[in-house]
Amino acid sequence: MSKSRVEAFYDACIAIVMTLLVLDLNAPASGSLHALAGMEDKFFVYTVSFFILAVTWVSHHQLFRLAEHVDFKVLWANVFMIFGITLNPFAASWLGDHWGERFPSVFFAFEFFIFNFGYYLIFMSLLSIHREGTLFYSVWGKDRKIYAALAVNVLVIIGTFFFPVLFIYIGSIVPLMWVLPNKKVTEAMKVKRKLTEEKRIKELLAIQKELLREQEIK
């Protein structure tokens, strides 16, 4: 099964969710800077949400670069991740309107855990169909970053229940561990392009030999 439709569906959902986020930022009543007073919390929540969604999109893209195909497990894992992502505008709006309160903060942290867990399901589903010997497995087979991210997510949810503001700030830093690209992916893509080129050359040579053989027969 081709991976292109999975990526296209995910890209479309991310674009829509990012757009919905900014719609919660109502324009000030006047044109003065003072009119922005009181909107600091909403701006912060919007910025954090947008940044985390952007990091998630880049990570999703990196994960699928080396995937050769997908199955129904990957499709449903992707849908689950999108479910978590589409909750973000609601979670961000609730937290922006009730900054520092316990339950909006816990829900905001839990919502990010949902789509991080969705990413984990995609990761494991792709690993199950790309076994040892594939470029995908050589890069991601022993990667443990996702486990660390999920563990931190759980700690942030627990901490937010007791210290909402502090752990929302801490949780906002977690995505930084995903910002830098995986250099192994870049190297593997070079290998993949080289193998593809070699395969194409072999196919052309085989066609050329076949044509010469047909000419000799004639």
Side-chain angles (χ1 to χ4, degrees):
M1 192 181 298
S2 173
K3 64 179 182 178
S4 57
R5 293 193 66 184
V6 176
E7 293 178 292
F9 180 45
Y10 180 85
D11 291 350
C13 291
I14 279 283
I16 293 169
V17 170
M18 285 179 161
T19 303
L20 290 175
L21 272 178
V22 76
L23 297 180
D24 194 51
L25 296 177
N26 298 318
S30 68
S32 67
L33 287 176
H34 295 292
L36 294 173
M39 296 185 66
E40 300 87 355
D41 299 337
K42 275 188 169 292
F43 273 116
F44 176 76
V45 175
Y46 166 77
T47 303
V48 169
S49 297
F50 190 93
F51 172 69
I52 294 177
L53 288 171
V55 170
T56 303
W57 178 79
V58 173
S59 299
H60 187 275
H61 173 65
Q62 270 216 316
L63 189 61
F64 274 84
R65 285 186 74 185
L66 294 174
E68 297 170 5
H69 55 276
V70 299
D71 62 3
F72 278 100
K73 287 188 296 182
V74 178
L75 294 182
W76 281 110
N78 197 63
V79 168
F80 182 82
M81 186 176 182
I82 290 170
F83 166 71
I85 287 170
T86 55
L87 284 173
N88 185 254
F90 168 74
S93 178
W94 193 18
L95 180 61
D97 289 337
H98 302 279
W99 176 253
E101 294 185 30
R102 177 179 295 169
F103 291 110
S105 301
V106 171
F107 184 78
F108 187 77
F110 180 70
E111 181 264 331
F112 281 118
F113 171 80
I114 292 175
F115 68 73
N116 274 327
F117 186 70
Y119 181 87
Y120 164 78
L121 293 177
I122 295 173
F123 176 81
M124 295 304 295
S125 299
L126 286 172
L127 271 183
S128 70
I129 57 175
H130 295 83
R131 304 311 300 168
E132 290 187 42
T134 63
L135 281 174
F136 186 91
Y137 188 89
S138 67
V139 171
W140 298 108
K142 296 182 179 179
D143 191 271
R144 297 292 178 264
K145 191 188 293 185
I146 182 62
Y147 303 109
L150 284 174
V152 173
N153 272 149
V154 171
L155 292 175
V156 168
I157 292 170
I158 296 171
T160 304
F161 191 83
F162 299 100
F163 306 100
V165 175
L166 175 62
F167 276 86
I168 286 297
Y169 285 132
I170 293 173
S172 304
I173 299 171
V174 174
L176 291 175
M177 65 191 295
W178 297 97
V179 169
L180 295 178
N182 189 331
K183 292 182 180 179
K184 290 183 180 179
V185 174
T186 305
E187 294 300 318
M189 286 302 297
K190 291 179 182 178
V191 173
K192 185 177 181 180
R193 281 193 290 267
K194 185 178 179 180
L195 291 173
T196 303
E197 188 63 31
E198 289 176 354
K199 183 180 178 181
R200 189 177 295 129
I201 291 171
K202 287 180 181 178
E203 289 174 349
L204 289 173
L205 289 173
I207 293 170
Q208 189 177 28
K209 286 180 181 179
E210 186 64 29
L211 290 173
L212 288 172
R213 191 178 295 113
E214 288 178 0
Q215 287 178 357
E216 289 175 359
I217 292 172
K218 292 178 180 179

